[in-house]
Amino acid sequence: MPLLEEGSVPRDCTRTVPVVIIGNGPSGICLSYLLSGYTPYLDPMAVHPNPILFRKLQEAKQLSITEQDLEFLCEGLEGRSGNPVAVLFDTLLHPNADLGYEFPSVLQWRMEKKHHIPHLILGKATPGGAWHAMEGSMLTISLGIWMELPGVNYRDLTSGKRRSVSNDRATPDEISSYYKNYVKLMGLQKNFVDNTYVTSVQKLHRSHEKSHVNEKNTVNGQLNAVKNGFDYCNKNSTENCQNGLVNGFSNELQNGMEKSSRSSDTGEEDEDKRGKERVQESIGVSHALSQGLWEVRGYQQLHGDTHVPFILFAENVVLATGASDSPARLGVEGEDLPYVFHSVRDLGVAVSCHGKLGPSSDPVLVVGAGLSAADAVLCALNHKVSVLHAFRKRADDPGLIFKQLPKTLYPEYHRVYHMMCSQVYPASPVANHTAPSPSLFPDYTSFPEHCVLSFQPDMHCVMRGSNGVLRVFKVSMVLVLIGTYPNLFFLKEQGQYLGLDPSRPISCRQNPMDINPYTFECKAEPGLFAMGPLVGDNFVRFLKGGALGIATCLHKRLKQRIEKNRKLITEEEGCGGWGREGSGGGGFV
């Protein structure tokens, strides 16, 4: 069904919020936790095994971690992430985890309302992001405890599911359930708007003079919009719309950082005053407009095929979309044929359909040498479907991911790697098309240093080896699993200008976004932040560092803005200025 015309959205359907987070996976959930007022301190009873870091923490133990100098705390730390704050947060949550220890976190979490920053998280499904779409029976790469978020122990929600002392990995079903329950347990539901699709994010600029003159009117206009809610929208939309995105945004701004007051006992004048204070606190009108706002457009999919468009204005936008939206493609002839797929999930569907794929079928061709390709190989073998496995690298290439995984924790991946090395299709010394073809192994045959040339309509695949010899095989299904890219179509130039190399598409491994390593703010766009796979952190245990960096940055800017506004208020009251009503306390630089 075509989208409703976004241009037809009434003015009352727009809202301004301090922070909009695009993506409701673990990155967005963790950031919501920190922006909701949950604040990390050094646990007074804890001792960190790193003496230098522990001494730094003790010197400022009266301050929360978000009030400290993250760059100073990160000095000298080493870990498996290229982002220093990710390494810092990981060692605070899981000290010496890379050495095999399971020490408790050294952090103590406190709820402090003064650190609450109103925000909205827009996600395509329920909280948990891409974890809901993964094959449920596979095991995660990381241990279950590394997948947990601050404040809720993973094992407390998955009691009885621990597999062994040496191998405590989890399934995607368990992880997605954990994230969904986490949002409820931490009381974060009010920040999440599910089934939302962002179609455009762009920066708006307004002159300082114009915004300053219209500031008081803007405050009053926003107050009226908050009081009236989305009455106009609700009168002209479906019944489902009344329970959808519009009410969610309206309620978020009406409630702000405190419970809505009961106006019947206090009078209309007091209600207006409190309403203005709530709006000023939550949207920071007075100075945000002078710095330019982000316009976020999209739609929410309600029950059935109803799409409700929305427009939001945000002082800050956080990209937490992950990097699995768009599969990488070979770009060869026939890649769009109906037997060529780009997701392990498609293989799962094929083997689950009785008679569609089984022991008597032609082999399945898997292209790629990463963990997704290994998952596809294991899935096919578990259903007694023979596999042809083609990849560009040598089987003994030191860059293969399997060499980085301990055998005791990942026996299934090392089983695949062993076959990649031992069950290799014999290579002919020269390109001799008249020589008889060697036979395939019955269950699995690997083709190192091979590239795919084409897929034919008769389900034959043409490959070429490193010596130039062409191979042609009949297959029943092809899975091209050579990586994924984030789909940032809603950004200017699809976000390419934000990368380390602006001439190439954003890629979590080859071209992540160029950010300040301590604030996670994009260097090319002030007020735009990125976290998770977009900045190279593909593991949950490290993407949480982005939440710490962004929350610390926003809290400090909010504090600076409040102090500046107080000074302005004092000066304006002293010279007969317009006073407190338009001062605003929640804006960001």
Side-chain angles (χ1 to χ4, degrees), residues 71-119:
E71 184 174 1
F72 173 66
L73 294 178
C74 289
E75 289 177 355
L77 296 181
E78 296 181 354
R80 297 196 302 182
S81 170
N83 293 313
V85 179
V87 176
L88 170 65
F89 205 24
D90 179 66
T91 194
L92 295 176
L93 293 170
H94 305 286
N96 281 3
D98 285 334
L99 299 179
Y101 295 104
E102 197 174 310
F103 293 140
S105 169
V106 298
L107 296 179
Q108 180 184 83
W109 293 90
R110 305 175 190 173
M111 166 53 78
E112 297 182 340
K113 291 185 177 180
K114 66 178 181 179
H115 287 142
H116 176 270
I117 296 177
H119 59 280

Side-chain angles (χ1 to χ4, degrees), residues 492-525:
K492 180 179 67 175
E493 300 176 12
Q494 298 191 30
Q496 189 168 308
Y497 74 106
L498 300 171
L500 289 172
D501 183 353
S503 66
R504 300 165 57 197
I506 298 295
S507 168
C508 59
R509 287 185 174 85
Q510 300 173 349
N511 189 34
M513 289 190 171
D514 190 12
I515 58 167
N516 179 305
Y518 301 101
T519 66
F520 289 76
E521 188 172 29
C522 295
K523 291 183 178 180
E525 285 284 16

Side-chain angles (χ1 to χ4, degrees), residues 269-341:
E269 182 177 347
D270 291 340
E271 172 68 12
D272 284 350
K273 182 178 180 181
R274 281 194 302 274
K276 290 177 181 178
E277 291 172 353
R278 286 199 299 272
V279 173
Q280 291 166 10
E281 183 178 36
S282 65
I283 68 176
V285 169
S286 61
H287 292 281
L289 293 179
S290 65
Q291 299 296 328
L293 291 174
W294 291 95
E295 180 195 75
V296 181
R297 288 176 176 255
Y299 66 92
Q300 183 184 32
Q301 184 173 351
L302 302 180
H303 300 293
D305 293 329
T306 303
H307 293 75
V308 179
F310 66 85
I311 303 175
L312 285 171
F313 294 114
E315 300 172 45
N316 303 276
V317 171
V318 180
L319 302 174
T321 59
S324 59
D325 291 318
S326 301
R329 297 173 62 88
L330 294 170
V332 300
E333 176 189 348
E335 193 168 3
D336 292 322
L337 289 170
Y339 67 92
V340 181
F341 299 88

Side-chain angles (χ1 to χ4, degrees), residues 26-49:
S27 296
I29 295 173
C30 189
L31 180 55
S32 178
Y33 179 78
L34 287 166
L35 295 183
S36 295
Y38 291 98
T39 309
Y41 286 84
L42 175 66
D43 188 333
M45 304 301 292
V47 177
H48 197 281

Side-chain angles (χ1 to χ4, degrees), residues 130-412:
W131 286 97
H132 293 294
M134 294 183 185
E135 177 63 38
S137 61
M138 297 186 303
L139 292 177
T140 58
I141 302 301
S142 300
L143 299 179
I145 58 171
W146 291 353
M147 310 294 288
E148 68 185 20
L149 300 178
V152 178
N153 189 291
Y154 166 78
R155 292 187 183 132
D156 290 344
L157 295 186
T158 57
S159 58
K161 295 183 179 180
R162 191 174 189 189
R163 288 163 179 81
S164 68
V165 174
S166 61
N167 189 349
D168 196 16
R169 293 157 64 195
T171 66
D173 278 347
E174 294 167 1
I175 295 300
S176 61
S177 176
Y178 168 82
Y179 292 143
K180 191 174 181 179
N181 290 327
Y182 179 92
V183 171
K184 295 178 182 178
L185 289 171
M186 294 293 98
L188 308 177
Q189 305 101 307
K190 63 181 180 297
N191 304 318
F192 286 76
V193 188
D194 302 340
N195 305 315
T196 53
Y197 296 80
V198 174
T199 58
S200 171
V201 175
Q202 58 180 329
K203 192 71 172 285
L204 304 179
H205 296 279
R206 302 185 185 183
S207 66
H208 178 81
E209 292 79 13
K210 181 178 179 180
S211 65
H212 187 80
V213 170
N214 294 326
E215 188 169 294
K216 186 173 180 179
N217 292 333
T218 303
V219 172
N220 291 330
Q222 291 287 347
L223 171 62
N224 292 332
V226 170
K227 288 180 63 180
N228 296 331
F230 282 87
D231 291 341
Y232 183 92
C233 293
N234 290 342
K235 290 176 183 177
N236 292 276
S237 61
T238 65
E239 182 178 355
N240 287 333
C241 176
Q242 296 178 8
N243 297 320
L245 178 74
V246 289
N247 279 336
F249 290 156
S250 179
N251 291 337
E252 168 66 20
L253 289 180
Q254 286 184 47
N255 294 333
M257 289 191 291
E258 55 188 74
K259 296 180 180 178
S260 60
S261 51
R262 294 175 170 82
S263 60
S264 58
D265 298 330
T266 57
E268 185 176 348
E269 182 177 347
D270 291 340
E271 172 68 12
D272 284 350
K273 182 178 180 181
R274 281 194 302 274
K276 290 177 181 178
E277 291 172 353
R278 286 199 299 272
V279 173
Q280 291 166 10
E281 183 178 36
S282 65
I283 68 176
V285 169
S286 61
H287 292 281
L289 293 179
S290 65
Q291 299 296 328
L293 291 174
W294 291 95
E295 180 195 75
V296 181
R297 288 176 176 255
Y299 66 92
Q300 183 184 32
Q301 184 173 351
L302 302 180
H303 300 293
D305 293 329
T306 303
H307 293 75
V308 179
F310 66 85
I311 303 175
L312 285 171
F313 294 114
E315 300 172 45
N316 303 276
V317 171
V318 180
L319 302 174
T321 59
S324 59
D325 291 318
S326 301
R329 297 173 62 88
L330 294 170
V332 300
E333 176 189 348
E335 193 168 3
D336 292 322
L337 289 170
Y339 67 92
V340 181
F341 299 88
H342 297 80
S343 169
V344 180
R345 197 174 188 86
D346 293 312
L347 177 60
V349 172
V351 296
S352 64
C353 295
H354 183 68
K356 188 172 183 179
L357 199 64
S360 61
S361 304
D362 289 318
V364 167
L365 172 63
V366 177
V367 183
L371 296 179
S372 294
D375 288 332
V377 170
L378 291 168
C379 179
L381 294 179
N382 288 340
H383 290 85
K384 303 187 184 321
V385 179
S386 60
V387 176
L388 307 182
H389 188 188
F391 45 96
R392 292 178 178 270
K393 295 182 178 180
R394 302 190 319 271
D396 61 349
D397 190 299
L400 289 176
I401 185 64
F402 309 100
K403 292 182 174 291
Q404 305 173 33
L405 304 177
K407 291 183 179 180
T408 54
L409 284 180
Y410 308 96
E412 75 278 22

